[in-house]
Amino acid sequence: MEALIPVINKLQDVFNTVGADIIQLPQIAVVGTQSSGKSSVLESLVGRDLLPRGTGVVTRRPLILQLVHVDPGDARKNDDGGREGEEWGKFLHTKNKIYTDFDEIRQEIEAETDRISGNNKGISDEPIHLKIFSPHVVNLTLVDLPGITKVPVGDQPKDIEVQIRDLILKHISNPNCIILAVTAANTDMATSEALKVAREVDPDGRRTLAVVTKLDLMDAGTDAMDVLMGRVIPVKLGLIGVVNRSQLDINNKKSVADAIRDEHAFLQKKYPSLANRNGTKYLARTLNRLLMHHIRDCLPELKTRINVLAAQYQSLLSSYGEPVEDQSATLLQLITKFATEYCNTIEGTAKYIETAELCGGARICYIFHETFGRTLESVDPLGGLSTIDILTAIRNATGPRPSLFVPEISFELLVKKQVKRLEEPSLRCVELVHEEMQRIIQHCSNYSTQELQRFPKLHEAIVEVVTSLLRKRLPITNEMVHNLVAIELAYINTKHPDFADACGVLNNNIEEQRRNRMRELPAAVPRDKAPAAGPQGEQEGTGTWRGMLKKGEGDGLGSGPGSPLKGAVNLLDVPVPVARKLSSREQRDCEVIERLIKSYFLIVRKNIQDSVPKAVMHFLVNHVKDSLQSELVGQLYKSGLLNDLLTESEDMAQRRKEAADMLQALQKASQVIAEIRETHLW
């Protein structure tokens, strides 16, 4: 199982080549406040001085430190200067350059930090990758994070505390990460910022290991026995105490090896019962063991994650397509595929079906039978017609003669007015279908034919051709729908079978009115029995013209107040209908007309509700479906347009390369995990 850590290092190398962190690999993150001894702990694990030192925030970028154990016989490397060493380091950003001088490694860390983070003590979340090869280390992957701080110093950003905290949480939130919480022994463990942050993401402490530093700097008369025994702050993975080199030791060039020997002597003297469970060497072995077990537990999920990502990137790479070789064939293929997908979206057989909303043919069906149908049903057959309007139409249809029967012409005039109201919702139905046909273009571009995203000019040209085709068909379809309503208005078919009952009602009513009129006619009055005339030869009674003219103003037929001749008739005045109680005959006539209008209107509405969708399908939807392929080929399949239409977007080649590199990295990672299974390490 010892070989599991090199496997993870190999996986890390694979993903470093593409600069991606999409896979959260098992690692150990070192968390602690400034001056808590984090750097000293890491250097003790490495056995060499390699980390920058100073006041304030020194670690300003995450340092991913991979320790690789090599056999002593193989541990000989030459750097660029020809110097040979049994320990050496390599940075990812310097490619294959080998460093045998650890002072140069420290200087490179400082230079690379300043290059990205600047000189103002700011921080960056872009990591530095360093790999150390040595026969004196155990296999580990450690991440050194900036120390937790509270107050900005010098020209540090005002929100430096928030920046560092967010950076730490980003790394330790990884469920595959072991948290190494470093706390100084000469501080109160109950106030440990490292343990506090660790508990936010690991409340159960299942992946947190506490390290207590500076055991030799505790106040006289005190010790860390209770802390190391876990009586103060219990940590499931344990607490390990270490003794670091002091700044004086570092200034005097005290080696790490000498410091580890002094540490062992201190623990034997001060904590003899706990000496074998504390110290740098025990910490290294513990971390190695924890990381191996953690890797073993994470590998199944890691394998699944890699396989899922490989499938996703394979699909992504396929959508980007291969570089174009045969332009004519590629253009024809893309045009045909778009036309097919457009038609399939209308028919409901498209590969990508919307689940969030109706689309394509389903929405057109909804427009026909729900939107348009309900709108027509909501139109009141008698809407906009008052009883006075109907009565006025009847009177106007009789001309100067009083009518004995309800004139049919009044029914025809009124029903045409009502049928005309069906034209507006019918044209709106055409508009809605046209808008949906336009939306299908975008749907096909986004979901069905992702290859079009490679060629933005071709995509724009296809959209323009289809839009133009729809635009040409719109007035033709509108004209047909207008004609459907005009056809209904052209001839009022009172012999329609469904209208027979209503006609029968009208005929019976007319016959009844005729009989009633005949009964109501007065007997003829002999001429010699006529009333005598007045002194002027006419009697100014209500039955004479003079009497009628005299009372004309009250009837609405006389002159207005401004008339120059008082009592005379102004023939230009038009009587204004006023609300009044209708006679029984007028009431009966209006009811008959209303009944006939309603009956005939329902017949026409049924016809329109059936014929308008058919017209829209024939003149717009089906015509576009049938002619789309030929229209696109005729407009775009031209030799002079090939180079322009098949010009890829600027970033497509780069995206294709990135996807190919990532897919290759994932495939290598999958092979590495397969090797683990074959060697029974898993």
Side-chain angles (χ1 to χ4, degrees):
M1 195 166 63
E2 177 70 24
L4 286 176
I5 296 178
V7 168
I8 291 298
N9 290 341
K10 187 183 295 185
L11 289 176
Q12 184 71 59
D13 294 340
V14 168
F15 291 114
N16 286 344
T17 59
V18 292
D21 56 357
I22 58 173
I23 295 291
Q24 296 179 320
L25 297 173
Q27 58 191 9
I28 300 171
V30 185
V31 181
T33 57
Q34 288 183 26
S35 304
S36 61
K38 289 192 304 89
S39 298
S40 296
V41 171
L42 288 173
E43 288 182 338
S44 298
L45 293 173
V46 178
R48 300 294 294 267
D49 295 329
L50 78 160
L51 298 177
R53 291 185 176 274
T55 59
V57 180
V58 177
T59 304
R60 296 186 289 124
R61 289 177 60 184
L63 174 65
I64 299 180
L65 181 62
Q66 292 177 258
L67 305 183
V68 182
H69 177 80
V70 293
D71 294 332
D74 299 332
R76 308 300 296 178
K77 283 286 184 179
N78 294 327
D79 61 12
D80 294 348
R83 291 169 294 186
E84 186 181 55
E86 66 173 4
E87 298 175 295
W88 70 93
K90 291 173 61 177
F91 286 98
L92 176 64
H93 64 272
T94 59
K95 306 303 180 185
N96 296 321
K97 183 178 180 180
I98 295 175
Y99 296 82
T100 58
D101 186 346
F102 281 78
D103 288 335
E104 289 186 9
I105 292 178
R106 178 170 58 251
Q107 293 168 6
E108 182 60 33
I109 293 175
E110 293 173 347
E112 180 65 11
T113 298
D114 292 340
R115 186 179 69 84
I116 299 298
S117 303
N119 299 318
N120 65 341
K121 297 297 183 180
I123 65 170
S124 170
D125 61 353
E126 184 176 340
I128 299 174
H129 294 267
L130 172 61
K131 186 179 291 188
I132 300 296
F133 299 85
S134 172
H136 309 300
V137 299
V138 295
N139 291 312
L140 285 176
T141 299
L142 301 158
V143 182
D144 186 19
L145 297 170
I148 301 172
T149 185
K150 291 293 183 181
V151 180
V153 177
D155 56 355
Q156 288 180 346
K158 299 298 182 183
D159 62 340
I160 187 69
E161 177 188 0
V162 177
Q163 290 186 28
I164 293 176
R165 179 181 176 82
D166 292 343
L167 177 59
I168 292 173
L169 289 175
K170 175 183 176 181
H171 283 268
I172 66 177
S173 297
N174 173 10
N176 296 334
C177 174
I178 295 176
I179 305 170
L180 190 64
V182 180
T183 304
N186 55 0
T187 61
D188 191 350
M189 286 289 290
T191 62
S192 171
E193 287 290 336
L195 289 174
K196 178 183 176 183
V197 173
R199 282 190 173 181
E200 291 184 20
V201 297
D202 182 32
D204 297 332
R206 296 182 181 275
R207 52 188 181 91
T208 301
L209 174 67
V211 175
V212 182
T213 62
K214 303 183 180 181
L215 292 175
D216 56 333
L217 298 182
M218 297 188 68
D219 292 340
T222 63
D223 60 30
M225 184 64 72
D226 290 341
V227 172
L228 297 177
M229 294 292 291
R231 296 169 184 163
V232 178
I233 301 291
V235 181
K236 287 189 178 181
L237 294 185
L239 294 97
I240 299 175
V242 297
V243 176
N244 302 327
R245 291 177 298 168
S246 66
Q247 189 60 46
L248 179 61
D249 293 335
I250 295 172
N251 294 338
N252 293 334
K253 305 296 183 181
K254 184 177 181 179
S255 68
V256 175
D258 292 340
I260 291 177
R261 282 195 298 269
D262 292 344
E263 175 192 52
H264 180 69
F266 174 83
L267 291 174
Q268 289 291 346
K269 177 181 178 182
K270 190 71 175 178
Y271 304 97
S273 61
L274 301 177
N276 62 339
R277 286 182 287 145
N278 289 276
T280 301
K281 290 186 176 181
Y282 180 77
L283 174 62
R285 293 194 302 270
T286 301
L287 290 175
N288 178 265
R289 174 178 54 82
L290 290 175
L291 186 58
M292 283 191 299
H293 287 282
H294 197 60
I295 291 171
R296 183 192 60 190
D297 296 338
C298 295
L299 276 179
E301 182 182 351
L302 191 62
K303 177 179 180 294
T304 302
R305 174 68 174 160
I306 289 175
N307 290 338
V308 169
L309 286 173
Q312 292 176 352
Y313 274 91
Q314 181 64 62
S315 175
L316 182 63
L317 186 60
S318 299
S319 69
Y320 292 155
E322 298 295 330
V324 178
E325 295 180 359
D326 187 342
Q327 291 185 329
S328 298
T330 301
L331 179 60
L332 187 59
Q333 179 185 3
L334 290 174
I335 288 176
T336 303
K337 185 170 184 178
F338 179 88
T340 302
E341 290 296 336
Y342 190 93
C343 296
N344 289 344
T345 302
I346 295 176
E347 295 296 332
T349 58
K351 181 179 179 181
Y352 298 91
I353 297 179
E354 280 279 3
T355 57
E357 61 178 354
L358 293 179
C359 176
R363 182 180 284 271
I364 293 175
C365 179
Y366 183 87
I367 292 171
F368 285 157
H369 302 292
E370 297 294 331
T371 306
F372 178 58
R374 290 180 180 177
T375 301
L376 289 187
E377 291 174 1
S378 68
V379 178
D380 184 6
L382 300 175
L385 282 182
S386 65
T387 304
I388 295 299
D389 294 336
I390 297 175
L391 184 60
T392 301
I394 295 174
R395 295 176 65 181
N396 286 337
T398 60
R401 297 170 299 279
S403 65
L404 296 178
F405 313 108
V406 177
E408 294 186 17
I409 190 66
S410 61
F411 158 73
E412 186 169 332
L413 292 172
L414 293 172
V415 81
K416 284 183 177 181
K417 178 181 178 182
Q418 298 306 99
V419 169
K420 183 69 176 176
R421 297 169 59 214
L422 298 176
E423 183 174 10
E424 182 180 350
S426 300
L427 294 176
R428 177 57 181 161
C429 175
V430 178
E431 182 181 350
L432 290 175
V433 174
H434 177 268
E435 291 175 358
E436 179 57 26
M437 298 283 283
Q438 197 74 36
R439 288 179 69 247
I440 296 175
I441 302 175
Q442 191 62 36
H443 171 82
C444 293
S445 301
N446 290 342
Y447 300 101
S448 304
T449 52
Q450 295 183 3
E451 293 92 336
L452 284 179
Q453 305 304 323
R454 295 176 57 191
F455 311 108
K457 290 186 178 181
L458 175 60
H459 178 250
E460 293 174 3
I462 289 178
V463 171
E464 178 59 32
V465 171
V466 181
T467 302
S468 177
L469 178 60
L470 290 172
R471 195 184 302 119
K472 286 191 298 185
R473 299 305 302 175
L474 182 60
I476 298 174
T477 309
N478 281 336
E479 181 66 20
M480 182 59 199
V481 170
H482 172 78
N483 287 337
L484 288 175
V485 179
I487 289 169
E488 296 291 346
L489 295 174
Y491 181 64
I492 304 301
N493 183 17
T494 55
K495 293 296 184 180
H496 192 284
D498 296 339
F499 194 63
D501 294 340
C503 289
V505 171
L506 175 62
N507 292 332
N508 293 338
N509 191 278
I510 292 175
E511 182 64 25
E512 182 182 356
Q513 289 185 22
R514 189 185 66 80
R515 289 194 299 268
N516 291 339
R517 286 287 181 156
M518 294 299 296
R519 286 195 297 267
E520 292 173 0
L521 285 177
V525 180
R527 181 180 298 274
D528 58 355
K529 297 297 181 180
Q536 288 82 19
E538 289 182 357
Q539 182 177 355
E540 295 183 358
T542 58
T544 65
W545 280 105
R546 185 179 298 277
M548 291 180 65
L549 295 177
K550 204 167 186 180
K551 62 175 292 189
E553 182 177 351
D555 293 338
L557 300 173
S559 62
S563 177
L565 297 177
K566 184 176 180 181
V569 178
N570 185 353
L571 296 180
L572 298 180
D573 282 348
V574 178
V576 178
V578 294
R580 61 181 177 83
K581 184 176 180 181
L582 303 181
S583 66
S584 59
R585 182 193 172 193
E586 291 173 335
Q587 184 69 34
R588 187 171 59 249
D589 291 348
C590 290
E591 290 177 356
V592 169
I593 293 295
E594 288 178 355
R595 202 156 49 240
L596 293 178
I597 290 173
K598 185 174 183 180
S599 177
Y600 195 82
F601 180 87
L602 295 179
I603 294 173
V604 175
R605 186 174 72 182
K606 183 178 179 181
N607 294 342
I608 293 296
Q609 191 169 353
D610 178 66
S611 59
V612 167
K614 292 179 178 178
V616 174
M617 286 298 297
H618 176 73
F619 286 92
L620 181 61
V621 180
N622 289 344
H623 188 279
V624 171
K625 281 172 49 183
D626 296 340
S627 61
L628 180 60
Q629 171 82 11
S630 59
E631 190 77 15
L632 288 172
V633 172
Q635 294 286 338
L636 303 180
Y637 192 66
K638 300 176 182 178
S639 58
L641 298 177
L642 289 178
N643 289 331
D644 186 49
L645 293 178
L646 295 181
T647 300
E648 284 190 319
S649 58
E650 296 179 358
D651 62 336
M652 182 56 66
Q654 178 64 25
R655 288 160 61 186
R656 186 189 296 112
K657 181 180 182 302
E658 292 175 354
D661 291 344
M662 180 57 68
L663 179 60
Q664 185 178 9
L666 290 167
Q667 290 172 343
K668 287 182 179 178
S670 182
Q671 292 174 0
V672 170
I673 294 181
E675 292 173 3
I676 299 175
R677 298 184 67 93
E678 292 175 1
T679 54
H680 306 288
L681 294 175
W682 182 358

